[in-house]
Amino acid sequence: MSAGFPLVLAPVASLALLTVALRPRTVDTTAPRRLAVIRATLAVGAFAVLTVEILGALRLLTAPAFAVAWLLFLAASAVAAVRRRRADAGAGRDAATIPGAALTGFWRTADRGERLLAGTVGGLLLVGLLVALLAAPNNFDSQTYHLPKVERWVAQGDLSFWATAIHRQVTIPPGAEYLLLHLRLFTGGDALYNLVQWAAGLVCLLAVARVTAQLGGGRRAQLLTVFVLASTPMVALQSTSTQTDLVCAAWVACAATLALDGLRRQAGAGDLLALGAATGMTALTKTNGLLAVGPLLVLWGIGQLRQAYPDRPGPRLRRPVATTARTVGASVLILLVAVVVVGPFLSRSYVEFGHPLGPDRLRESVPMERHDPASVLVNALRIGHTALDTPLTPVREVTAEAIIAVAGLVGVDPQDRAITFGQEIFPEPSWYPDEDRVSFPLAGALGLVGAVVALRRPVRISPDTAGALRGYALVVVVAVLLHTAMIKWQPWGNRLLLYALAVSVPLAGLWLESVFRRSSRPAASVEGGRGDGPADPRGPAGGGGRRPVAATLAVTVLATCALAGVLAVSYGFPRRLVGTGSVLTTSEWESRFLRRPQWAQEYRWAADAVRAADARRIGLSQRNDDWEHPWWLLLRDAGGGSPELLALQSVLPDRPAADPASVDAIVCTGSRALCADLLPPGWRLEFRSYVGYALPAAR
């Protein structure tokens, strides 16, 4: 165990202290404890990012430097918490409720259904935490570029770009990997990496629960919202992964709840800093999340401008002008904070590639290259088909054929490369619980229904906040439409939609709660009934008999959601609790290769040969989608230090590849021919099915 392992607790302790220090001061704040946690999370996240950027610029990406930074931040957090408690005591304000007491109070007052919802969510979180702690990182993309970039930063001590055959190591935004870097330096390995996404999932649940409360949902609606999201297989599986989509969803959900605060009151400096941090963290993690954050900021701006027109007219005739100026200034501040967070990475990309969003190959691979209405329609239909896929093969085939027929009618090739990622072919089954592609038909359908009802009849869902509800639903719809107009269809596209799913589930929770509320309401008391005459047999929804049916259907859907969540954490791939490949029975090394078990021994075989030759400078021969991370683990020196790995192919024009003659050994993945072409005279090559190595004849 690394000597810095205890420092992992510094961010956790700082978060707890800042939750005390950043509690809202206004007494009418919705869910103040959750807001405090969200503010503290954004503060800790922004500090983690800026620490990496500053120390990276100073070439100090080392464990001692990070330890000093976190200890100073922890001390500042403690001072802020103490000062806040003293200020509250001096003002006669009550201290925050102890979390344990709040949980006890909830359990005492909750009914059976609420306890069942909360217990299921708690169980899913605990099982997910267990899997996250036991499982070694084994996500495919993480083996290729997420985790190798962390190792490269540690090896070189800064954030400068490097020669590589895998462009995603340097072109994809690194926000989530910045968080992993802290764990890498403190622990010396990747044992705790999965906890970043697990924590992101927890933040997501807190944020969407608060969004539901802001939109008028009571405790049951909030529990339903959290239940729907937590039981979604994509969320359950990603919460134990080193993928980055759940981190992005967490920042977007934070932005959503902060934006809704702006509909009720003028934003203070703290609100603006938090919104700016959420925007910047989203951009630095996955830029597709901005498709939701952008509309959310527009909604926030409209809410701020409405402050100029209070319900009661007053004598301040210049208030509209002042409020408009204040809103513009606040918007600029939000963008400036976001730029502080994401700007350094964008500037490095601009210097390296001539564009802040990276090279042409990145900007043309995922974004849509056609935006005519017919192409967008076909893309939206394909994305919807994949997102809502079910195990029912006949349904999948019929709907796919219908979409292909529609594409033919509007004159669009459904496999057009301008609207389809890579060489992928639509349709592709996505119902299986795999972290990279699993669909979410239940949560997605509930979100769509909730959005439609919120737009058409928001009063039926939340009478007191109908305007805010309709505005929020419109934001969700706009975000989904922007996604389908700007992101190409791909078999792995469901995980790219995770941020949109997260912000849509409050609408699902509110709608479900309204169904249960109407079904349990006595017929004589509905919508204007006095209770002293015969009830309208149609009820509020047009039929009293239909209300129990709707409630029964809703219960069935929730039970199916619970089953899907349990199956995901139990049998999901590539980290499962039971069955073949279980985290309880599979060795750490084998679990890393569950997607490609035939490679596990080949990597060890090649690494053992290179280590036996006492090679120091080791060349890498690989292609864009090959696994690099195992080499960083196997070729460390005896003290655990990073190996000197040098790319023998480079896709960066200004970063030439290393000369094969300058290295002591070569390790190869993917292509024997590619590796053989690099060999200096007199070298011998050994190659198995996927992995090989080459050494000079003298070795």
Side-chain angles (χ1 to χ4, degrees), residues 470-495:
R470 177 172 280 166
Y472 184 81
L474 181 60
V475 163
V476 171
V477 171
V478 169
V480 173
L481 292 177
L482 287 174
H483 185 100
T484 58
M486 300 184 71
I487 306 294
K488 293 177 179 177
W489 175 87
Q490 55 183 284
W492 313 279
N494 289 342
R495 63 183 181 83

Side-chain angles (χ1 to χ4, degrees), residues 474-519:
L474 181 60
V475 163
V476 171
V477 171
V478 169
V480 173
L481 292 177
L482 287 174
H483 185 100
T484 58
M486 300 184 71
I487 306 294
K488 293 177 179 177
W489 175 87
Q490 55 183 284
W492 313 279
N494 289 342
R495 63 183 181 83
L496 301 182
L497 266 172
L498 191 54
Y499 74 94
L501 177 70
V503 295
S504 70
V505 289
L507 302 175
L510 288 162
W511 176 72
L512 285 170
E513 198 280 332
S514 72
V515 170
F516 290 124
R517 184 176 67 245
R518 293 198 304 274
S519 68

